[in-house]
Amino acid sequence: MRTPLFFLNEDSKVLDALRNGDEDALAGLFFRNRSAITALVVQNRGDEDDAEDVLQEALVVLWERVRDGSFEYRAKLSTFLYAIAKNIWFRRLARQRREVEMPDEYDAPDCETLLPSEEMEENERVLAVQQSMERIGYPCRELLLLFYWEENSMDEIAQKLGFANADTVKSKKYQCKKALEKLVRQALGEQS
Amino acid sequence: VSKILSYHWTSDQEKLEAFVLNKIEKKERALLAAHLEKCEDCSRKVQEERELLAGIRRFGRAEMKRRLRMRTRRDQGRRFEWIHAASIAAAIVVMLGAAFAVRWFINIEQKTKTREIILSENKESKPGERALWIIGRIVEVKAKPAGGLPAEKENRSLADRIEKQSEKVKGETIAQEMTSSQTAGLKEETSGTAQRRADTAGPVAYEPVRTDAFKSRASSQEKAKNYPQSISISRSQTNESRRALSLPLGARESRISDAEKKKAQPTPAAYDRLKLPAADSNKAKRSGESAGLMKSETSTAPQITAKTRQPLMAEEKPVLHSEYSAKREMRPAANRGRSIKNIVVRKGDMNDLPASMRTRDASAVHTRLEKTREGMVLTFYSDIIKDSVATSIEAVAPDSIIVTFSNKQIEYHIPGGLGGKM
């Protein structure tokens, strides 16, 4: 199916903005897609707060995909966001009530392919790492996020955080990682 | 391969991170994964690295979501404020628009009530003629108006007064005693007033008016008592004396000398000014009898009252009123070159009135106005006015007339004036 040119132009602008780290583009997508996602969630035992939370989560997924380069433009961004939001919401419903009957429109395979892996969500250590990240200070938090979450290269991180070069970033990253592990161990009550 | 499989690669931090971040090629990744199956310590290190990665990403998503929530709520507030401002602005615009619309409609209504609606391209217009619609205002005639009685009553009272006047004047051969200059002065004073009154009164005669100059002639009054009771206008009477007796009322001219006839005979231009029908004016010219406004009577009986003009009933013929004196005085200079000879008022069938012109305002009389070389035709459409015959038509301004019926009047503003072009 041929995508209308103006949608392509509009979406390409948004994608360029996301690639450049412009979070305002995400906010724009939020307002443009809120009514559709709200309708989806409200029609499936949710409320407007749930819809807002689901949409924000879907936007974060889009952000991750675009930032790590794994996003492939196959449909309009609104369609992509609707599919992700639908999968997130139905997964939540399934988690809340295992016995819930999935609607006909629920597409389970998409859920696995579109959403980030959550096999470690319940892992105690993962939660400890998340908590420790809140306690770790600047620039370690940003450096670790840029490296592990946004998967930037050392040169990019050096440029963004103002380090002299990639080696300096590499050295600093090692220090930050050790500091985080220490915080995680403290959080888990482990003694090194 | 065996060397690679036995190599504990997890001690290499970069390789471990690359493996977890899936940044190693498939072949190498398969070999490294194969080592993990044999090396429990290495597998634990990879698991710890994955948990670290998952925790950092989880934190990153939560942080991103938190920032996005803050941003959207802030923007939502801005959008809400903007929507409020836009709503207020829209409401103001709507209110202003409504105010202007109301004002516009009021203006239109006022114009409809007071001024003409020009519909030159009306379907009813005949080829070669331009018709326009005007709206008259109905005025109830309840009491005696300030300017005099209603036209019909005034006509009757005028006729009565003139009849009495004629009897009174029979005993007054005043004219014989009046000098030329005195009668000329009297004529000047009487002619205008009498003509105006007679014109507005319709089928009645002019009424001689006693002026101060007239009354001041005490000796004349005394002498008048000695004169015969019947009026007798002899050939020896001067023109002035006859004019003093209001010649326009139809003084008999049969006894007037030929020279006097010739002198008194109005010019063709005068006939035009007097708005007499062409046939009448020709007849008057031929007879050479008329020295005043109307056809002269040939009877020998002395009469003060005389037919001034023939009223034309709307049913038979359109009512004809030539308010020539008013027009002559009030008509703008620009319109003097072309005069309206007749004003015809006639009642139209309400069924013929276009639906768009039917209004709830009962006092508004839609009237079709046609100005032609022959005259002005006013066809009015009204349920209120039952009369089809107008009692009188009075010009009250160069561009305004009042048409009087039995108990109502219609005020009209005539676009372009009484004699102007449409």
Side-chain angles (χ1 to χ4, degrees), chain B residues 99-116:
Chain B
F100 277 112
V102 167
R103 189 179 173 82
W104 185 73
F105 278 118
I106 288 172
N107 283 342
I108 287 290
E109 195 175 356
Q110 285 176 348
K111 283 178 183 174
T112 306
K113 285 179 179 176
T114 59
R115 310 300 290 177
E116 69 279 3

Side-chain angles (χ1 to χ4, degrees), chain B residues 17-36:
Chain B
E17 288 166 358
F19 183 83
V20 170
L21 292 170
N22 203 18
K23 291 184 177 177
I24 297 176
E25 290 183 1
K26 281 188 178 179
K27 283 184 180 178
E28 188 180 357
R29 182 179 179 82
L31 291 172
L32 295 176
H35 172 74
L36 294 178

Side-chain angles (χ1 to χ4, degrees), chain B residues 271 315 322:
Chain B
Y271 278 105
E315 288 176 342
S322 52

Side-chain angles (χ1 to χ4, degrees), chain A residues 75-86:
Chain A
K76 287 192 296 182
L77 284 180
S78 56
T79 307
F80 178 81
L81 285 171
Y82 188 87
I84 292 184
K86 187 173 75 174

Side-chain angles (χ1 to χ4, degrees), chain A residues 23-24 26-27 30-31 34 52-53 56-57 59-60 63-64 116 120-121 123 125-127 129-130 133-134 141 144-145 147-149 151 170 173 177 180, chain B residues 13-14 16-17 20-21 23 47-65 67-76 79:
Chain A
E23 294 181 7
D24 288 337
L26 277 186
F30 175 86
F31 290 114
R34 183 169 54 176
E52 191 171 321
D53 191 65
Q56 285 162 355
E57 206 163 311
L59 287 168
V60 171
W63 174 270
E64 280 185 312
M120 294 182 191
E121 270 192 357
N123 190 314
R125 185 176 157 77
V126 172
L127 295 176
V129 171
Q130 184 180 355
M133 281 292 287
E134 290 175 0
R141 186 191 297 171
L144 292 172
L145 280 173
F147 183 78
Y148 285 103
W149 188 44
E151 298 182 17
K170 195 181 291 182
K173 186 195 66 141
K177 195 173 177 181
L180 179 64
Chain B
Q13 276 295 319
E14 286 187 17
L16 179 60
E17 288 166 358
V20 170
L21 292 170
K23 291 184 177 177
Q47 179 65 16
E48 285 179 357
E49 189 69 18
R50 279 180 175 163
E51 288 171 350
L52 187 74
L53 174 66
I56 292 172
R57 285 187 169 179
R58 192 178 169 89
F59 172 80
R61 285 191 205 106
E63 190 70 12
M64 185 73 187
K65 199 173 170 182
R67 287 204 303 271
L68 184 59
R69 186 181 295 116
M70 289 177 64
R71 187 180 296 270
T72 53
R73 286 183 180 170
R74 186 191 63 199
D75 292 353
Q76 199 166 359
R79 288 165 72 98

